[in-house]
Amino acid sequence: MASNRKPAPWQRKLRALLQKPAALPILAAVCGLIIVAIAAIVVWFTVLGGKSSTSGSSWSEPASDASYDATADKVDVEAYKGTVLPETEDAGQEYLDETLFLGDSNTVRYMVYGPEGSEDSYTTIDNNIGVVSMGVQQITSLKCENFVGRSSAVTMPAAVEIMQPRRVIIGFGTNNLTMSVDTFIEEYKEGLAAIHEAYPYADIIVNAIPPLDKQRSNTALSMKQVDAFNSAIVEMCEEEGYKYLDSSQALEDPETGWAKTDYTLSDGVHLSQKGVRALFEYIQTHAYITEDTRPKPLNKVPEVQGVTPNLITSDPIAVRGENGQTSTKVPVEFVCSEGGSLSGATSQMVAKGGTCSTVTAVPDEGWVFAGWGASIGSTGGSGESLTFTVPGDADANGVIITAYFEQEEAEPTETPEPTASPEPTAEPSPTPSATSAPTPTQAPATPVPATPVPATPAPTPAPATPAPTAAPTPAPTAPPAPTEPPAPTEAPVNSVPEVTVPDNSTPANAAPAPEETGSEAATAG
């Protein structure tokens, strides 16, 4: 039985809309918007989910961070004006080469990074002693530096004496943030005194502890601790006569007090490439150069072998997870040389033995990808896209992976050879007779008028005056005769003795002038 129920008003409107010609484009547009919205949601969750799984970004702010005052415990530069290094002109690479850098894992990174556009790092093993996970309490006791010809490693103070630097920049404290401030300063004083005693000719500069990123892996560490330690360090430098490098000014956000964005790795502790570059720009523009009082000549420095690898197996802070829980994740940073960029997550926190998310090297125009390099582990024969597996023996310093690019070789262009200037060629001359002097060059034959000339009596022959001979035959190399006949010219006078000719006679060798007419010729005869 058919229903007599009438359609609702919205149904009638929909049916009317669908019957209009514009209905199909409108429906297509609506469907397109729905598809785009779904795709955006999928991408959103995919990207965030991938980042969270590799970088440990499931971070929540500790309650103590909310009460952090970015200006409360910062170093008072004015109060320590004679101790805090002021801004100077850029001292350049020479200043760095004369400096020995001592410190922890952040110091190690100075040997990995370099200025933008340069393949050279800021420091090398010849002026860098950085030990991963090391603290100030180990300065006098840990035998870490190796030299060729020595059977065992030596401590940092002993290494300073051997290497005889003009100055020392030392940076410890990140691995000591769980200590009390007083204990930390006492340990630091002892270590610095040992260095000064071993080699009193080197200026000692103490670097600030770098700021943490707010979204750090180990939330047991705080910027309150960092600020308190740095304030105590500058006071110690004032008392002991050392200089203080307030590099926090270059690394921290002045408004928040935390590290600037992207100046640390995903763990929020170790300096990234961007952070190290900012640090060294600050070092070079806050230089401390005094008179060189080192005894001359300097002793010969034995070949440096560097720090014993994996010297400290326990990590005080860097690989601890959220809320102090133990974690096996280490920071992995992807960087690139000049000539390209990277696509993907360039800073990741990955478990030892785990796999990083894929990162792709993208060369700039005119450049080509040249390969990958890793501070530890192997990148294999990967192409431009790399999915790296973190070695099981990675430590708190993590892994640094570098993409290298090189310029494309330009197509060789043929350089035209210079054309030699033509040498002037001597004009050919008629071949002279073997038995006579050279005959003067004869003029071209003069056309003779068609009017006949009557014969005339021969004149009395001149003594020994030979009649002119025919023009000599030119050599085969003579140029061809001109295509146009030259204008009539007077015949040249031969170089013969002058002959007196009677008025009524015509010399045999005289050619009639072209302007004479026939009647004039007859009269002359």
Side-chain angles (χ1 to χ4, degrees):
M1 179 176 176
S3 174
N4 295 324
R5 184 178 178 181
K6 295 182 179 180
W10 68 267
Q11 291 176 323
R12 291 197 299 271
K13 291 181 180 179
L14 178 62
R15 189 174 300 169
L17 177 64
L18 293 175
Q19 292 175 350
K20 292 182 179 181
L24 186 59
I26 292 174
L27 287 175
V30 172
C31 292
L33 290 174
I34 293 173
I35 293 172
V36 170
I38 294 173
I41 293 172
V42 171
V43 171
W44 174 267
F45 281 103
T46 300
V47 171
L48 288 184
K51 184 177 180 180
S52 175
S53 62
T54 58
S55 64
S57 61
S58 55
W59 181 86
S60 58
E61 181 182 20
S64 60
D65 286 1
S67 61
Y68 172 59
D69 185 350
T71 61
D73 293 320
K74 296 295 183 183
V75 171
D76 188 346
V77 176
E78 289 300 320
Y80 298 97
K81 200 167 185 179
T83 299
V84 178
L85 293 180
E87 186 173 1
T88 64
E89 293 184 358
D90 193 327
Q93 184 64 39
E94 182 181 359
Y95 180 78
L96 304 182
D97 294 340
E98 293 177 335
T99 304
L100 176 61
F101 292 84
L102 308 176
D104 50 28
S105 53
N106 271 322
T107 302
V108 176
R109 308 181 85 75
Y110 304 166
M111 293 187 289
V112 179
Y113 305 126
E116 187 173 0
S118 173
E119 295 184 0
D120 297 328
S121 58
Y122 288 110
T123 66
T124 67
I125 60 171
D126 291 325
N127 67 331
N128 185 307
I129 305 177
V131 182
V132 176
S133 299
M134 183 175 173
V136 293
Q137 71 277 13
Q138 296 163 306
I139 293 176
T140 60
S141 60
L142 184 64
K143 295 183 177 181
C144 55
E145 185 75 342
N146 296 274
F147 297 90
V148 173
R150 290 182 174 266
S151 59
S152 62
V154 300
T155 63
M156 284 188 176
V160 172
E161 182 182 11
I162 294 171
M163 300 172 80
Q164 310 156 80
R166 187 166 178 177
R167 70 190 62 85
V168 169
I169 294 181
I170 187 168
F172 282 104
T174 299
N175 293 311
N176 298 108
L177 291 176
T178 55
M179 278 185 176
S180 70
V181 174
D182 291 341
T183 303
F184 169 74
I185 292 300
E186 288 302 318
E187 295 284 2
Y188 219 158
K189 279 184 179 180
E190 184 179 342
L192 295 173
I195 293 172
H196 179 68
E197 182 179 352
Y199 196 67
Y201 311 102
D203 295 325
I204 295 179
I205 303 169
V206 184
N207 190 18
I209 301 172
L212 305 170
D213 190 282
K214 188 172 184 179
Q215 294 194 19
R216 57 209 180 278
S217 296
N218 185 1
T219 54
L221 309 178
S222 73
M223 276 304 300
K224 290 181 179 179
Q225 294 169 310
V226 174
D227 291 346
F229 275 42
N230 282 336
S231 294
I233 291 173
V234 70
E235 184 176 349
M236 173 193 69
C237 290
E238 176 95 352
E239 295 173 354
E240 303 298 324
Y242 307 128
K243 295 299 178 181
Y244 179 74
L245 183 69
D246 193 15
S247 59
S248 295
Q249 295 183 25
L251 302 176
E252 67 186 18
D253 186 319
E255 294 184 1
T256 67
W258 297 92
K260 290 181 181 178
T261 303
D262 297 332
Y263 274 33
T264 66
L265 302 183
S266 293
D267 62 0
V269 176
H270 290 92
L271 292 175
S272 65
Q273 181 185 58
K274 193 172 182 179
V276 172
R277 284 177 174 172
L279 169 62
F280 270 82
E281 182 178 348
Y282 188 88
I283 291 173
Q284 290 174 277
T285 55
H286 291 75
Y288 183 59
I289 303 175
T290 61
E291 182 183 355
D292 188 355
T293 60
R294 295 175 294 174
K296 307 296 189 304
L298 299 177
N299 296 326
K300 183 178 180 181
V301 180
E303 182 181 348
V304 180
Q305 290 182 312
V307 172
T308 305
N310 300 317
L311 193 57
I312 300 176
T313 55
S314 61
D315 174 39
I317 53 138
V319 294
R320 291 169 62 186
E322 290 79 3
N323 302 318
Q325 297 300 314
T326 302
S327 171
T328 58
K329 291 183 178 180
V330 296
V332 180
E333 182 182 21
F334 291 81
V335 297
C336 63
S337 67
E338 181 186 14
S341 59
L342 298 175
S343 174
T346 57
S347 182
Q348 306 179 29
M349 286 292 290
V350 185
K352 297 177 183 180
T355 302
C356 301
S357 62
T358 302
V359 174
T360 302
V362 183
D364 293 338
E365 184 177 355
W367 295 73
V368 294
F369 173 68
W372 296 96
S375 57
I376 60 171
S378 173
T379 60
S382 303
E384 295 183 0
S385 294
L386 174 65
T387 304
F388 182 75
T389 300
V390 178
D393 61 349
D395 56 24
N397 202 42
V399 185
I400 300 171
I401 303 170
T402 306
Y404 294 97
F405 301 93
E406 59 185 20
Q407 284 185 305
E408 290 181 321
E409 293 185 3
E411 291 290 336
T413 55
E414 294 184 2
T415 304
E417 296 183 1
T419 305
S421 301
E423 296 182 0
T425 305
E427 293 185 1
S429 57
T431 305
S433 172
T435 58
S436 64
T439 306
T441 304
Q442 302 296 316
T446 304
V448 180
T451 305
V453 179
T456 57
T460 303
T465 304
T469 59
T473 304
T477 57
T483 56
E484 295 182 4
T489 58
E490 291 184 0
V493 179
N494 292 330
S495 233
V496 294
E498 186 178 353
V499 180
T500 303
V501 182
D503 292 339
N504 60 350
S505 65
T506 302
N509 61 346
E515 66 272 16
E516 292 179 347
T517 60
S519 58
E520 291 171 339
T523 303

